[in-house]
Amino acid sequence: MRASTHLHQFIKDIVDLCCPDNVHVCSGSDDEYDQMCKIMEHNGTAIRLNQLKRQNCLYVRTDPSDVARVEEVTYICSQNKDDAGPTNNWRDPIEMREKILSLFSRSMHGRTMYVIPYVMGPIGSPMSKCGIEITDSPYVVANMKIMSRMGREALSLIEKGEEFVAGVHSVGMPINNVNEEVPWPCNKEKLIAHFPESRQIWSFGSGYGGNALLGKKCFALRIASAIGRDDGWLAEHMLIMGVTNPNGVTKYFVAAFPSACGKTNLAMMLSTLPGWSISCIGDDIAWMYFGDDGRLYAINPENGFFGVAPGTSVENNPNAMKCIEKNTIFTNVALTEDFDVWWEGMTKVPPQGLRDWKGNAWDSNSKSTAAHPNSRFTTPIRQCPSFDKMGDDLRGVPIDGIIFGGRRSTLIPLVLESFDWVHGVLLGASQSSEKTAAAVGVVGEVRHDPFAMLPFCGYNMGDYFQHWLDQEKDGRKMPKIFSVNWFRKDDNGSFIWPGFKENVRVLKWIFERIDETVSANKTPIGYLPKELDRVGLNISDDKLNQLFDIDIDGFLKNIEDLYNYFNIFGDKFPKVLHQKLNIIYFNLKNNNLFS
Ligand code: OXD
Ligand code: MN
C-alpha cells in the first residue's frame, strides 16, 4: 500500500474482510494509552503493578503457547522464489493471499479493530518511514505507542500523501458470544507473511512482540531491508551507541548480535574506565545510509526498548533498571507478592511468594524458571539515563565502526579487526551464535546467523551480502569493521571475560584503532590487540591469552563448515568473499601466523 489515497480503501477492505464490531483510529494520546490499559485490565490480560514501586506499569501474561517469534511460519512472499533465497520460507504471493483471505475472514468479529498510524524514525527525518498497523489487540496498541512514533502526526503525514507500509494483525480469535473473551487471545495456527514488492505485512494468530508489533521486525527489518536493497541503504539488526573518550570526542558505533546476546546491555552500558562514557541511541535496529559527505549515518527507527528481562539487574544494567521504573509493560516475567516484578538474575535470592509467568505459585527449588527466558519489558527510550539526544537528529549519527558479535564459547576471539571492507563483510556473513530463547527452538545449538539477520532479511541473503559489498565506493569513508565475542569459556565452562561494564576496554581499543593511536598484531584471521587497557581489571595473563588464542585446527574446521554453509547461496554468494575465505584458510593451513 503506497499512497495516502489508499488509506481509506485499505481500512474499508479490512473491515469487510475481518468484520470487527468497531473501528478505532488511534490518536496516540496518553488518554488512549490509559484506555488500552483499562481494557487489558478488564479482560484479565494485564494487572496494574504497585504504583509506589512501578509507576504506571502493567504486568501481562501471554498464553503459554505464544511466547516467542515463530520463524517456521514466517514467510517472504516475493514473486520469484529466488528473491526470498535459501534462508527464508517462501510462498507464492497469490497462494498466500488466498490463505490470508481465509484466515482473516471474520477474524475480528466481536472485537474492536484499531488502526495505528505510526512513523519509524524521527518525524521529519528523510530516512523515516510511515506505517499503518491494523490490529485487534489493545496490547499491540499500547506497545506500539511505546515502540514507535504513533498517532496524529503520523496520520497527518499519510493523509498528506506520504507512502506507508500496510500491516494487518489479528490475534485470530473472533468472539462469537458475549463473555467469551480470554486473558490472552491467540490462535494455534500462526502465520506472518511479508510481501516485499507491495510493502505489506499480514500477521495472524500471535499477540507476542516480534510477531505482532509490526513496526519492529516485520517492517523495520524485513520490509525495510528490501526497500534498502532497492534504494541503496541498509536496514540492520544493530544497536547504535556513542563512545566518548576523556577528551570529549564521541564516535558512534553500530553492532549486530543475534537475538538475546546482550545487545540491550551493551547499548546501555556504563563504563568502568575513568573519563570514558557510553551513550545510547538504540538497542535493536539501525537504518543506515551514506550521506553526501561520504560518511555512513544511522538512525534508530524505534522509540522504545523491547528488551529481554532475565539477566537484567542493577549490577549489570543499571540504566535499564532505571528505565523500567515507570511507564513500562512487563510481559511474562514473575510477579511478587506486593505486585512488583522479578526475573532470574535480577537479584541473587528470589523474593518469597513469587507467582511465575504462568500465574502459578513458584518454588525456588522448582526446575522451571519464574520468568519466561524470553520475557520482556517495553519501555520508552527517553527514560534511559544514557539516551543520547543525537538520537533525535534528523540526519542521524555518523558511524565510525561496525561491530559483529555472537555467543560463542570457543574459537572466536574477544575482539578482532578486519583487514578491509570485504573482510568485514565476510565477518558479518560468517556470524554464528549459540541459540537462545528469543525464537522457538533448541537452546545452545550453534546456528549460522549472518549479520544477525537470519530471521530478518526480507530478500535473498546472497544478494544482501552483495548489497553490503556494493556500499564500498570511491569517495566514501568506509567505517572499520570488527568482530567481538564476550562469551568465550574456559575448560571449566566459566566465562573468561567479565563482560558488561568491562566491555568498555574493548570499545576503547576499537575507538583507538579507528584513530590509529594503538597498534595491533596482524594474524591470518585479522588484527588482534597487542594489549588491552587492563588497569583496575583483575584478569591473569593466562586468561587474557586464552581470549586471543588462535586454535588453528578449530578455525580450519570452522572455515570448512563455512564453505558448506555458503554453498546454500549458490551463484549468489559473492566470489570476493570466497576468495577472502580461501586466503585466510591458506594462511592458517600453512601456519603463516604473521607477527
Ligand atoms: C528481538 C529479537 O526481539 O531479536 O529483538 O528477537
Ligand atoms: Mn532483536
Side-chain angles (χ1 to χ4, degrees), residues 262-482:
K263 276 216 311 289
T264 305
N265 287 340
L266 183 63
M268 295 184 193
M269 69 180 258
L270 296 178
S271 146
T272 46
L273 287 179
W276 289 79
S277 64
I278 312 290
S279 57
C280 174
I281 304 256
D283 79 328
D284 198 39
I285 301 178
W287 285 355
M288 301 194 284
Y289 68 100
F290 279 89
D292 294 341
D293 58 356
R295 297 198 68 183
L296 183 64
Y297 286 86
I299 64 160
N300 173 11
E302 301 193 279
N303 206 21
F305 302 116
F306 182 63
V308 174
T312 311
S313 69
V314 173
E315 283 73 44
N316 65 34
N317 194 342
N319 281 334
M321 294 304 282
K322 203 86 206 131
C323 272
I324 59 177
E325 282 174 357
K326 55 186 183 191
N327 309 322
T328 298
I329 300 171
F330 296 90
T331 307
N332 285 344
V333 301
L335 185 66
T336 68
E337 271 175 338
D338 59 351
F339 288 83
D340 194 4
V341 289
W342 190 83
W343 46 76
E344 279 69 20
M346 185 199 265
T347 54
K348 287 208 174 66
V349 183
Q352 294 291 311
L354 280 179
R355 295 220 153 247
D356 69 11
W357 66 278
K358 292 183 181 163
N360 301 320
W362 186 75
D363 170 357
S364 54
N365 298 318
S366 147
K367 281 213 184 87
S368 56
T369 54
H372 187 277
N374 192 33
S375 52
R376 301 281 180 145
F377 49 78
T378 322
T379 197
I381 197 164
R382 266 147 255 277
Q383 287 181 192
C384 179
S386 62
F387 175 67
D388 186 326
K389 297 263 177 329
M390 283 297 286
D392 288 324
D393 193 277
L394 301 185
R395 190 175 56 163
V397 291
I399 298 300
D400 280 309
I402 298 174
I403 302 172
F404 295 119
R407 183 183 286 271
R408 292 294 301 267
S409 39
T410 59
L411 213 60
I412 309 299
L414 176 64
V415 59
L416 169 117
E417 180 192 327
S418 64
F419 297 118
D420 50 32
W421 184 257
V422 174
H423 182 217
V425 173
L426 178 63
L427 289 177
S430 311
Q431 257 181 295
S432 58
S433 193
E434 286 149 27
K435 261 193 154 185
T436 68
V440 176
V442 184
V443 172
E445 233 173 43
V446 173
R447 79 163 177 179
H448 291 281
D449 192 349
F451 289 77
M453 282 289 276
L454 184 72
F456 306 124
C457 183
Y459 62 102
N460 190 312
M461 187 71 96
D463 290 335
Y464 169 92
F465 297 150
Q466 188 60 49
H467 186 54
W468 263 81
L469 290 168
D470 291 345
Q471 299 305 311
E472 189 178 27
K473 291 196 173 109
D474 283 349
R476 286 186 172 175
K477 184 174 183 301
M478 304 313 287
K480 284 197 174 198
I481 301 183
F482 300 82

